[in-house]
Amino acid sequence: MQPTSLSTNLQQVFISLGDRSYPISIGSGLLANPATFDGLASAHTALIVSNLTVAPLYAALLQESLKKHYQRVLLVNLPDGEVHKDWLNLQLIFDALLENGCDRKTVLFALGGGVVGDMTGFAAACYMRGVPFVQVPTTLLAQVDSSVGGKTAINHPLGKNMVGAFYQPQRVICDLDVLTTLPPRELSAGLAEIIKYGPIADMGFLDWIEANIDALLRRDRAALAHAVRRSCEIKAAVVGEDEREAGLRAILNFGHTFGHAIESGLGYGEWLHGEGVGCGMVMAARLSQALGLVDANFVVRLRTLIGRAGLPVVGPILSTSDNAGRYLDLMRVDKKAEAGEIKFVVIDLPGRASVRSAPDAMVRSVIDACCGQAGSL
Ligand code: NAD
Ligand code: GLY
């Protein structure tokens, strides 16, 4: 029998942004329950944006639930993968909207991981100068990070997430059931973004992750529910204070400056985003140590946890002639860079982060110590 009210396992986190505030719902059975979508602005048409991997698994379930709320529920599938997060494929969403005569009340539903979520959000920000959208994240990474906070973007060949907009969803629906089909490598990628919240904001959460990493890798439902909720709480608090990254929000990019260099240096899709972030956190922790902010024990502790989560802890060699130089060149196109000066998120003390620059020579020595054979020592 179809459930008609929201189940008791539901947890909600609110992100407080004035008239752009919204709830993040976390629980089981949410996609299959039409009540999950009660209260959204009324519209004639809903367009589900998904991809060729996720849609066969979950689009029919979502379509059935949405049919209770919309007269037309359309579906457009994007090709799967970071390499397709570009202009060409963004156009597929606009094609579907225009070919079906979608008006400015049409609601977009992003059913997929961070790639689908970022692209759908950007399309929603642009179509008719802005239509509502709902995030239905299906990867762990998307549930704990990318679906929350309104950053939307596509990649440019010269830099990751370089073209985009801040545009908040109406709601985020984290159905834990969908995580059962997630490949193990993708689960680990999501754990990287969960681990991130410890050193930047909550060392008690880091203690909890260390104690529960095996349960998380086993996909224990209670452990996942706690990890998703606490991650969303921390992200909601940071974004609530600094929606457009004037300052504080940058701490959410811990590990990302090195990680983005790895992702674009190897070619998008070679390493997963979460893998780049995992290894990038090891490098950013080493840089924090070089700056005299944290001790070696902290770096070892973080590196050990990242390794236990199934993530790489040794940076790849991006150039055999001047590896550190190649990293530096790639990091200069990071969005935090100012007039060519690279900005790094470093740990000031465990549980607190800030954005700083560092001398090139110091960054070079960190890269040399963390990459290739030297990194595995
Ligand atoms: P992804 O979207 O590529 O998804 C990973 C893979 O898992 C894909 O092959 C996808 O089809 C598949 N998949 C998704 N859900 C599945 C499920 N339930 N079962 C089986 N397979 C499933 O990758 P991701 O890690 O979710 O997201 C990474 C992207 O998110 C990057 O582009 C990154 O830049 C972006 N991101 C954005 C923000 C933000 O604040 N907007 C934050 C972090 C990351
Ligand atoms: N993932 C970083 C941010 O949302 O700001």
Side-chain angles (χ1 to χ4, degrees), residues 319-354:
S319 161
T320 46
S321 55
D322 179 11
N323 185 50
R326 178 74 182 131
Y327 270 84
L328 284 165
D329 286 347
L330 288 164
M331 291 192 294
R332 281 188 229 287
V333 288
D334 186 80
K335 285 189 290 307
K336 289 184 295 306
E338 286 172 19
E341 186 179 58
I342 307 165
K343 302 282 184 186
F344 297 94
V345 180
V346 294
I347 302 303
D348 286 336
L349 53 94
R352 208 177 70 198
S354 67

Side-chain angles (χ1 to χ4, degrees), residues 51 53-54 57-58 80-82 85 112-116 118 138-139 141-142 145-146 148 151-152 160-161 178-179 181-183 186 189 193 235 249 256 273:
N51 72 25
T53 305
V54 177
L57 297 169
Y58 301 112
D80 187 4
E82 185 72 33
K85 192 179 165 183
V115 170
V116 165
D118 280 11
T138 62
T139 62
L141 184 142
D145 192 354
S146 64
V148 174
K151 275 190 182 175
T152 74
K160 191 171 155 58
N161 292 333
V178 302
L179 301 178
T181 54
L182 199 61
E186 299 291 349
E193 300 280 14
K235 181 150 187 186
R249 184 168 179 166
H256 286 57
H273 175 73

Side-chain angles (χ1 to χ4, degrees), residues 145-146 148-151 166 193 196-197 235 238-239 242-243 245 249-253 256 273:
D145 192 354
S146 64
V148 174
K151 275 190 182 175
F166 286 98
E193 300 280 14
K196 167 186 85 179
Y197 292 112
K235 181 150 187 186
V238 171
V239 173
D242 179 20
E243 182 184 8
E245 202 166 307
R249 184 168 179 166
I251 66 169
L252 297 173
N253 285 318
H256 286 57
H273 175 73

